[in-house]
């Protein structure tokens, strides 16, 4: 077995671990809403989560013209990008500080996962919520990155460096949202990073009702237990 497979096999049953969960769909299909709901559910279940979610102000036809980045853990937000309302022919002007904010968020989360993985169970009581979190982190933490798109997949900018670092962290499950038209490019990126199809699960949010989407995503909780 090669080194990649050794790092991605579950100690409990020998099965390959899910490494990347992809939520895809058309513009306005509810990808961000579904991802945020899943993050909340995981957090309530005692699993360590972090996420960077895109909030948008939309004009005619539901086309976004102003973007904000929201950090899940503390609900701090930062301006992400802007263009004139109703001018879809003009590209977004992005805020470089937002992507520095994203990089710092990833590093802090990665450090927290590593720190908890190294803590002995004896430090926590049997009924301690932190101990429950630590026990599940024997498997991984969960990082959400919302709206991976043309900036990352074509221009090789934006969140790309954070995505690449997260893909190399075998204690982390990465949840990505992407428009369906960019899905093939995202799959190429994941395969190029050495993630096999067995480590990737894709759900088309556009084809599901909200309740079905939530049920499907929360079913992945079972993959997070050590």
């Amino acid at each position: 077995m090669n080194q990649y497979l050794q790092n991605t096999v579950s100690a409990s049953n020998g099965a390959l671990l899910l490494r990347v969960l992809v939520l895809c769909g058309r513009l306005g299909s509810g990808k961000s809403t579904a991802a945020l709901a899943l993050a909340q559910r995981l957090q309530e279940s005692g699993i360590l989560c972090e996420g960077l979610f895109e909030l948008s102000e939309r004009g005619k036809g539901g086309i976004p013209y102003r973007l904000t980045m929201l950090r899940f853990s503390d609900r701090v937000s930062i301006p992400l990008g802007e263009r004139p309302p109703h001018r879809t022919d003009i590209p977004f002007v992005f805020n470089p500080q937002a992507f520095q904010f994203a990089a710092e968020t990833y590093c802090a989360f990665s450090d927290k996962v590593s720190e908890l993985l190294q803590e002995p169970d004896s430090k926590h009581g049997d009924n301690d919520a932190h101990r429950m979190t630590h026990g599940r982190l024997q498997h991984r933490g969960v990082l959400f990155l919302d709206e991976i798109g043309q900036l990352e997949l074509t221009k090789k900018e934006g969140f790309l460096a954070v995505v690449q670092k997260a893909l190399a962290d075998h204690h982390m499950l990465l949840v990505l949202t992407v428009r369906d038209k960019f899905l093939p490019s995202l799959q190429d990126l994941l395969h190029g990073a050495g993630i096999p199809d067995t480590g990737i699960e894709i759900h088309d949010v556009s084809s599901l009702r909200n309740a079905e989407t939530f049920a499907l995503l929360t079913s992945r909780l079972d993959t997070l237990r050590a």
Side-chain angles (χ1 to χ4, degrees):
M1 183 179 293
N2 63 32
Q3 185 62 47
Y4 171 78
L5 291 178
Q6 288 177 349
N7 287 337
T8 56
V9 166
S10 167
S12 61
N13 57 22
L16 285 174
L17 298 178
L18 178 65
R19 289 293 312 286
V20 184
L21 179 63
V22 179
L23 308 182
C24 69
R26 62 183 182 274
L27 179 68
S29 59
K31 300 182 299 295
S32 300
T33 300
L36 190 56
L38 179 59
Q40 188 64 42
R41 174 66 177 269
L42 293 175
Q43 184 183 64
E44 291 169 356
S45 298
I47 295 172
L48 186 66
C49 294
E50 184 57 279
L52 294 165
F53 293 90
E54 182 182 289
L55 307 179
S56 60
E57 296 179 49
R58 299 173 182 268
K60 185 178 180 180
I63 305 299
Y65 64 89
R66 183 177 295 119
L67 306 174
T68 301
M69 182 187 296
L70 173 71
R71 183 163 59 198
F72 176 73
S73 60
D74 57 9
R75 300 306 197 269
V76 169
S77 63
I78 185 171
L80 175 57
E82 190 169 3
R83 65 183 174 191
H86 316 310
R87 290 295 305 274
T88 59
D89 57 314
I90 297 178
F92 278 99
V93 175
F94 289 97
N95 175 15
Q97 293 181 345
F99 298 113
Q100 180 62 33
F101 176 83
E104 292 170 356
T105 296
Y106 167 76
C107 289
F109 182 62
S110 180
D111 288 346
K112 189 171 184 179
V113 172
S114 298
E115 178 184 341
L116 290 179
L117 282 168
Q118 294 169 9
E119 290 182 3
D121 285 338
S122 59
K123 289 182 65 175
H124 311 293
D126 289 340
N127 296 321
D128 194 290
H130 186 79
R131 185 178 189 280
M132 178 178 67
T133 301
H134 170 68
R136 293 184 179 183
L137 278 173
Q138 301 303 321
H139 200 77
R140 74 196 74 184
V142 185
L143 177 67
F144 290 76
L145 295 178
D146 189 25
E147 288 293 346
I148 304 303
Q150 185 175 14
L151 192 63
E152 292 78 19
L153 299 172
T154 302
K155 296 184 178 181
K156 308 301 181 184
E157 299 174 3
F159 284 128
L160 181 61
V162 174
V163 173
Q164 291 171 327
K165 289 179 180 179
L167 289 173
D169 188 335
H170 299 286
H171 294 300
M172 196 172 291
L173 170 63
L174 189 58
V175 182
L176 305 176
T177 74
V178 64
R179 289 193 206 175
D180 44 14
K181 68 178 182 179
F182 295 124
L183 180 58
S185 296
L186 177 61
Q187 290 174 296
D188 288 343
L189 173 66
L190 299 179
H191 293 153
I195 309 297
D197 286 334
T198 50
I200 304 168
E201 185 168 309
I202 300 170
H203 292 290
D204 185 348
V205 176
S206 302
S207 65
L208 300 168
R209 296 179 181 176
N210 288 340
E212 292 172 331
T213 301
F214 188 72
L216 265 175
L217 299 181
T218 54
S219 73
R220 305 313 298 160
L221 285 168
D222 287 340
T223 72
L224 303 178
R225 295 186 172 87

